[in-house]
Amino acid sequence: MTYAYLFKYIIIGDTGVGKSCLLLQFTDKRFQPVHDLTIGVEFGARMVNIDGKQIKLQIWDTAGQESFRSITRSYYRGAAGALLVYDITRRETFNHLTSWLEDARQHSSSNMVIMLIGNKSDLESRRDVRREEGEAFAREHGLIFMETSAKTACNVEEAFINTAKEIYRKIQQGLFDVHNEANGIKIGPQQSISTPVGPSACPRSPRDTGSDSGCC
Amino acid sequence: MVPALFFPWCSSLRAHQRAGRCGDGRHGPKSALRAVREMGSSGLAACALEGPGWLQRHLLSGEFDQLRNFTVFESNFVQVTRFGEVANKVTMGVAASSPALELPDLLLLAGPTKENGCLQLLGLFPLQFVQLYIHDESRQQLKVKFCTGRAFYLQLQGPAETRDLEFGKWVRLLYHLHFQAGQGAVPFTQEWGDEDEETGGDQEDREWDWRDQLQDREARLDPQTSELWGL
């Protein structure tokens, strides 16, 4: 299937926060309660439509466990988007965000769009990190923020798609050089290089950035 | 599918053969070594002439910049249970993340998409966290075991006239990888644990217990209920 652009995403964050479950929910629309520890990188892909353009999301789901981290961080390079995930029921996964963020910024393009995700929002009774804390962290570090549930699929589509919208908006604004492979964007086959560029091509809705007030 | 290119790791294999180091386990190391010897230098020359496989072509297609320059040794398999039931098609390859490496350090798994059957890359795993074994030499089956305990079995596919040669290359590769990992003196065929040997008593019950336990480890075969990549 042809596409206008391919965006490379990485999913990062502590082990057990639900990275692979988010990917599975997004690509296969299903939830698997028991998931084997990810070793290395597992891949997923899905087409989305942004502003009338077909965009292929190529998603690199990385291992979160510390012992694999030195290897997987080498694959952050060339990502256009990152989903930085923590578990709202485990405070330590939130506390480690700074370290993940440093890693991501050190090993990838400065233009990379980062979506902070507080996952497992269905487990409200076990919440250990307040939503406002996630929002504050995102605001402080210039990230987009959403709470999601890979189990109920709440906000999962939005997390992936809003990240794509933000990348697309940056392309339209000329902030991303689509010809530079290091930016994690590829022009699709049979696409004209002279894709229209202009701020008005991708109108933003309030949901595109900032905190989301969806189903969670 | 015929393996793509394998000679970068062949020359030092011959050195290992000369050194006479190999395992002598019960289930096949001797025959595996025989296969290695029977391959001889002609096999090495043959593998250098073959073109890129599907996985290599997929990486060359341009969607995976970082992996584009990998030289991949690959084959097509079907995933089978330990009891021979056939399920998913899998393309498995090994690659070196740097041309400076003497041996491959990455395992790549790919499979057809549900939508259109086109090959898609499913996972990339450092070989230091994966063990490869010969599961059943006569059926040309390999066992892939992750450090997490997850394991699955792959049976080589391909034209009958080239399959022996191709499997022989995998045998050589496994020999090489185990030798490198300091396991040259242990068998690199299937790790047969106590649970594999039924010596009498309530054998059937125990076999079912064993199968139940195996299900925890062995990946499910129904793609709808399986792991992300259907293994």
Side-chain angles (χ1 to χ4, degrees), chain B residues 44-154:
Chain B
L44 305 181
C47 55
L49 299 173
E50 293 152 4
W54 289 110
L55 179 52
Q56 177 102 60
R57 286 183 217 180
H58 183 54
L59 299 182
L60 285 168
S61 71
E63 289 192 359
F64 293 91
D65 284 336
Q66 278 176 281
L67 316 181
R68 189 170 45 197
N69 296 325
F70 285 2
T71 297
V72 183
F73 168 63
E74 61 175 90
S75 292
N76 287 340
F77 296 86
V78 286
Q79 186 186 358
V80 294
T81 66
R82 215 162 168 170
F83 314 107
E85 296 157 325
V86 174
N88 311 311
K89 289 181 179 176
V90 177
T91 300
M92 180 168 75
V94 292
S97 59
S98 160
L101 291 172
E102 250 188 67
L103 282 172
D105 61 340
L106 295 171
L107 180 79
L108 299 144
L109 291 171
T113 59
K114 288 172 199 158
E115 295 77 31
N116 55 19
C118 289
L119 195 71
Q120 68 169 350
L121 187 60
L122 302 168
L124 180 155
F125 312 94
L127 271 171
Q128 70 191 90
F129 302 124
V130 188
Q131 288 179 303
L132 299 172
Y133 300 97
I134 298 163
H135 175 60
D136 186 329
E137 196 173 359
S138 63
R139 292 179 181 166
Q140 297 170 325
Q141 292 175 350
L142 301 178
K143 177 183 179 183
V144 182
K145 186 178 180 184
F146 291 94
C147 62
T148 55
R150 184 167 65 175
F152 55 92
Y153 303 89
L154 299 176

Side-chain angles (χ1 to χ4, degrees), chain A residues 14-30:
Chain A
D14 273 9
T15 185
V17 298
K19 299 183 294 298
S20 299
C21 290
L22 283 166
L23 176 58
L24 193 63
Q25 183 60 255
F26 180 65
T27 56
D28 285 31
K29 298 190 190 309
R30 61 192 173 92

Side-chain angles (χ1 to χ4, degrees), chain A residues 9 12 18 25 31 52 71 74 107 134 148 161 164 184 188-189 196 199-200 211 215:
Chain A
Y9 279 17
I12 56 175
Q25 183 60 255
F31 175 70
I71 290 168
S74 62
H107 291 89
T148 64
I161 290 172
S200 62
S211 61
C215 54

Side-chain angles (χ1 to χ4, degrees), chain A residues 12-117:
Chain A
I12 56 175
D14 273 9
T15 185
V17 298
K19 299 183 294 298
S20 299
C21 290
L22 283 166
L23 176 58
L24 193 63
Q25 183 60 255
F26 180 65
T27 56
D28 285 31
K29 298 190 190 309
R30 61 192 173 92
F31 175 70
Q32 192 166 281
V34 181
H35 204 287
D36 234 17
L37 198 66
T38 303
I39 304 166
V41 183
E42 294 187 8
F43 299 92
R46 207 186 111 178
M47 291 284 191
V48 296
N49 191 295
I50 307 289
D51 199 27
K53 297 248 185 248
Q54 282 291 99
I55 291 173
K56 183 172 183 177
L57 303 184
Q58 181 194 82
I59 304 149
W60 298 46
D61 171 27
T62 65
Q65 203 176 62
E66 188 59 37
S67 49
F68 306 132
R69 199 163 157 183
S70 62
I71 290 168
T72 53
R73 66 163 65 100
S74 62
Y75 297 105
Y76 294 179
R77 189 161 52 85
L83 305 189
L84 172 56
V85 189
Y86 68 94
D87 175 351
I88 65 156
T89 71
R90 284 165 58 213
R91 164 69 57 177
E92 73 273 17
T93 66
F94 182 76
N95 294 341
H96 296 155
L97 287 176
T98 310
S99 156
W100 284 106
L101 198 55
E102 280 172 8
D103 254 13
R105 292 208 157 128
Q106 191 179 341
H107 291 89
S108 54
S109 155
S110 56
N111 282 323
M112 183 168 72
V113 173
I114 303 176
M115 167 74 77
L116 178 64
I117 292 179

Side-chain angles (χ1 to χ4, degrees), chain A residues 119-187:
Chain A
N119 192 35
K120 308 194 187 180
S121 64
D122 55 292
L123 301 176
E124 188 58 43
S125 61
R126 288 166 50 190
R127 181 184 282 274
D128 199 19
V129 183
R130 285 181 297 115
R131 181 189 178 90
E132 294 74 26
E133 293 177 87
E135 286 172 341
F137 186 94
R139 217 171 18 249
E140 185 184 341
H141 294 91
L143 320 177
I144 317 172
F145 175 70
M146 295 188 99
E147 287 195 347
T148 64
S149 167
K151 186 175 182 179
T152 66
C154 175
N155 271 345
V156 174
E157 289 270 319
E158 289 83 350
F160 283 88
I161 290 172
N162 288 357
T163 306
K165 283 180 180 172
E166 183 62 12
I167 296 167
Y168 188 70
R169 188 183 67 80
K170 285 192 168 188
I171 293 172
Q172 299 297 303
Q173 290 184 334
L175 297 173
F176 264 130
D177 175 7
V178 295
H179 302 288
N180 182 352
E181 291 176 350
N183 282 328
I185 297 165
K186 294 193 79 69
I187 297 171

